[in-house]
Amino acid sequence: MSDPSYGPSAIATPANYVTMLRILVSPLLFAMISDSPSGWLVWGLWTALALTDGVDGWIARRHGTTRSGAFLDPLADKVLVLGALFSLVAVDRFPVLPVAAIAVREVFISLYRMWWGRRGLAMPARKSAKLKTLVQSLAVGAVLFPLTTDYLWLGDGLLYFATFLAIFSAFQYVWDGSRAATTMETQVTDPA
């Protein structure tokens, strides 16, 4: 049952505290990956940070979603996942090209969605984009987890699948924007 304790403009909310904690602890994770890209402690911290994404969303739904949370939550996801991916590139565990492709996609789609948002079009997250985030997290987890770290095909396979999903979902967002532009033009030129 939802208790809308916080209005849409609230900033200091329990969900935002969890999100900010994820952002603030992320550099510790990156340092741990740089020191040892596999181990129970680094995998445990990664898992905790990845799972708290669901926790802040659950809290937000119970206490009221906010505009600040709508901005901070995806930012925390990008900081955590991209930081972990680039940390694994730095220790020569992941190739740079797919990680760079994912990073370029993230920046482009974030700017694209903001551009459309300022024109009054909300572009909710696509299922393919949510799956992309999950697969990225699994790729990082597969490398950090001591029992699967030596299975190079597993982490790399998940990374390349995440890269495919990143590009595929980017095309979906561009298609959504293209259709919205056509609809907006039709409404302007042919008012009812």
Side-chain angles (χ1 to χ4, degrees), residues 83-174:
L85 289 172
F86 277 111
S87 296
L88 289 167
V89 167
V91 295
D92 292 325
R93 181 49 193 88
F94 275 151
V96 71
L97 189 59
V99 174
I102 290 171
V104 167
R105 178 263 185 215
E106 293 298 340
V107 171
F108 171 74
I109 292 302
S110 295
L111 293 173
Y112 187 74
R113 289 174 76 183
M114 268 194 289
W115 186 78
W116 277 110
R118 290 189 177 166
R119 281 153 184 74
L121 176 68
M123 296 183 97
R126 294 287 227 131
K127 288 182 182 178
S128 57
K130 291 179 181 182
L131 180 60
K132 169 211 48 117
T133 302
L134 173 64
V135 175
Q136 288 171 343
S137 296
L138 292 173
V140 172
V143 173
L144 301 181
F145 189 58
L147 301 180
T148 57
T149 192
D150 292 332
Y151 298 115
L152 302 181
W153 59 269
L154 180 60
D156 289 352
L158 288 167
L159 175 65
Y160 281 106
F161 184 49
T163 305
F164 165 77
L165 290 170
I167 294 166
F168 176 74
S169 62
F171 279 113
Q172 287 183 311
Y173 283 120
V174 170

